Amino acid sequence: MRVFPALCLFFALAAPMSALADSLRDHALSLFEPLPERIATLDGRTVTEAEVALGQMLFFDPRLADDGATACTACHDPATGGDGNRPMSMGHAWQGGPQNAPTIFNATLNGARFWQGWDEDLAQAGTRDPYRAERIATPDRMVAVLASMPGYVAAFEAAFPGETNPIRPETASRALAAFASTLLTPAPFDDWLRGEGALPDEARKGLALFIDRGCAGCHQGVNLGGDSYHPLRVARVPGTEALPESGVCFALEEADGAEYLYRAGSLRNITRTSPYFSEGSVRSLPLAVQIMGRSQLGTDLTEAEADLITAFLATLQGRVPPITLPVLPDETALTPAPN
Ligand code: HEC
Ligand code: HEC
């Protein structure tokens, strides 16, 4: 591309002075990206309003689940960070699940889905579909539930016009994914990346530490993580005072020497999504930061440094989009009873 010096000078003068002088911001822009305002396509298909509206109904509807009580919101509650607040999420019939439910906010932008896996799982982990309602429902029963309610029949027809058999588990997944794609939470950090606001001084210092100490090596890109899997204890096992209570994820690798890998999760809204780590074993964010320093970087961060990094992480707490509680279609005599 040819550059016209006079034109460049014009744009340079037109840009706000703070943006011009901010080398930290330039550095940050080479590692991170601001959240997009919206996601227009998924898997090459345009996301339509009708799909989003249907997905929102499904997301809030506990009747899809075999027990008639477990909506997606049971473990991904948009009112409280979009995640599960329990260390291990509660499943069907109130059984404890094996893992902490990650937040649904911005999850569409995670390249790597799910917390962990053995090497051979990971090839599929990026493509495994987390929007399948089979997670909470038997597909045949779910289809019978949906087809029994005229309100759902109309909503599926509107979302998937021209399809002869619109009520299917795959279309339900597509609608759920469409709704989830609207759950983006732009944060003060995004404003700053775009040159539209300042960061508090402590947060700037924390960001500089986050970059210099190497956190951004694994927590980078648009979601500051969510894209890659790593062994824990890359550098060394954290000291007992900083070991997560259960210690399981750190012990697992030791057990058989196999490469047990965990996803370096997105750090967006991390101030809202305690407890931390795949087992939800740590409730304090500065402590989680110190554990990361020790186990992944071999660095002993002081409490003051961990607090500065935490001040930076607080700027990733985003604005939650307004979500109207949907009024769901009425059941009919044909609606199967919960199991
Ligand atoms: C019983 C609790 C529970 C329910 C109900 C539930 N989920 Fe999840 N969800 C989880 C857990 C736990 C994980 C992490 C699983 C893993 O990593 O293996 C997860 C992961 C996800 C992810 C991946 C997030 C990421 O960070 O990449 C998405 C998306 C998701 N669920 C959507 C849904 C939708 C849509 C529904 C409703 C159809 C639903 N979930 C119902 C517990 C639940
Ligand atoms: C070598 C890669 C790597 C580096 C470097 C790294 N992390 Fe992590 N981070 C991970 C992995 C993997 C996990 C998930 C651990 C788990 O699931 O138990 C994680 C999880 C976290 C969590 C908890 C996320 C959640 O949702 O519970 C926080 C907070 C965090 N990292 C912050 C940091 C900070 C701050 C630094 C720098 C001091 C850092 N990380 C450096 C790989 C890394």
Side-chain angles (χ1 to χ4, degrees):
M1 184 181 133
R2 277 216 287 158
V3 179
F4 299 93
L7 212 58
C8 288
L9 186 67
F10 169 79
F11 282 120
L13 289 174
M17 284 313 282
S18 58
L20 274 182
D22 203 335
S23 63
L24 179 62
R25 185 170 156 266
D26 292 342
H27 194 171
L29 277 169
S30 69
L31 297 165
F32 315 111
E33 255 175 75
L35 269 189
E37 256 158 53
R38 54 188 283 271
I39 293 173
T41 59
L42 287 176
D43 298 329
R45 283 189 295 258
T46 305
V47 176
T48 65
E49 272 178 41
E51 274 171 22
V52 170
L54 170 61
Q56 178 165 5
M57 289 157 74
L58 298 172
F59 194 78
F60 279 90
D61 199 334
R63 296 168 302 180
L64 268 50
D66 293 359
D67 62 6
T70 314
C72 307
T73 50
C75 302
H76 306 282
D77 188 347
T80 53
D83 64 330
N85 292 307
R86 298 168 42 81
M88 310 287 178
S89 48
M90 197 70 100
H92 178 66
W94 305 107
Q95 285 160 348
Q99 275 142 1
N100 180 238
T103 178
I104 193 77
F105 290 134
N106 314 302
T108 308
L109 298 168
N110 287 336
R113 260 87 186 254
F114 303 117
W115 279 108
Q116 64 200 165
W118 303 93
D119 294 349
E120 65 271 23
D121 294 350
L122 291 181
Q124 292 144 27
T127 52
R128 263 191 294 161
D129 180 0
Y131 298 98
R132 274 176 323 161
E134 282 100 306
R135 198 170 251 293
I136 53 169
T138 312
D140 288 350
R141 184 186 170 280
M142 180 185 76
V143 167
V145 168
L146 294 168
S148 74
M149 296 184 241
Y152 267 123
V153 174
F156 271 89
E157 281 169 357
F160 304 103
E163 297 212 15
T164 35
N165 188 15
I167 303 186
R168 300 193 309 278
E170 308 82 71
T171 47
S173 298
R174 262 164 66 184
L176 283 162
F179 170 61
S181 78
T182 65
L183 301 178
L184 301 176
T185 62
F189 181 61
D190 297 292
D191 303 339
W192 177 74
L193 280 179
R194 291 204 165 87
E196 290 163 7
L199 286 187
D201 209 35
E202 304 240 294
R204 289 182 63 98
K205 288 187 186 137
L207 169 60
L209 275 173
F210 187 86
I211 295 174
D212 293 346
R213 296 297 168 89
C215 309
C218 298
H219 298 281
Q220 54 175 290
V222 64
N223 264 354
L224 294 93
D227 261 341
S228 55
Y229 297 90
H230 306 269
L232 278 180
R233 340 172 291 155
V234 169
R236 65 185 141 104
V237 184
T240 42
E241 74 285 6
L243 203 60
E245 230 168 73
S246 74
V248 177
C249 56
F250 291 89
L252 262 175
E253 274 182 295
E254 223 158 23
D256 53 9
E259 278 278 83
Y260 205 72
L261 304 174
Y262 291 80
R263 181 177 69 172
S266 165
L267 299 182
R268 287 189 176 275
N269 297 304
I270 193 76
T271 38
R272 275 197 193 122
T273 56
S274 156
Y276 302 112
F277 303 127
S278 47
E279 289 153 44
S281 48
V282 174
R283 299 198 77 85
S284 146
L285 185 51
L287 177 58
V289 167
Q290 282 184 310
I291 290 174
M292 276 286 124
R294 262 173 253 209
S295 69
Q296 305 303 76
L297 295 163
T299 305
D300 284 308
L301 294 166
T302 63
E303 272 178 35
E305 288 172 328
D307 286 345
L308 288 175
I309 292 181
T310 302
F312 157 60
L313 295 177
T315 69
L316 298 170
Q317 177 158 323
R319 300 178 284 276
V320 175
I323 301 167
T324 320
L325 204 59
V327 177
L328 298 174
D330 291 326
E331 288 166 42
T332 64
L334 296 175
T335 307
N339 289 343

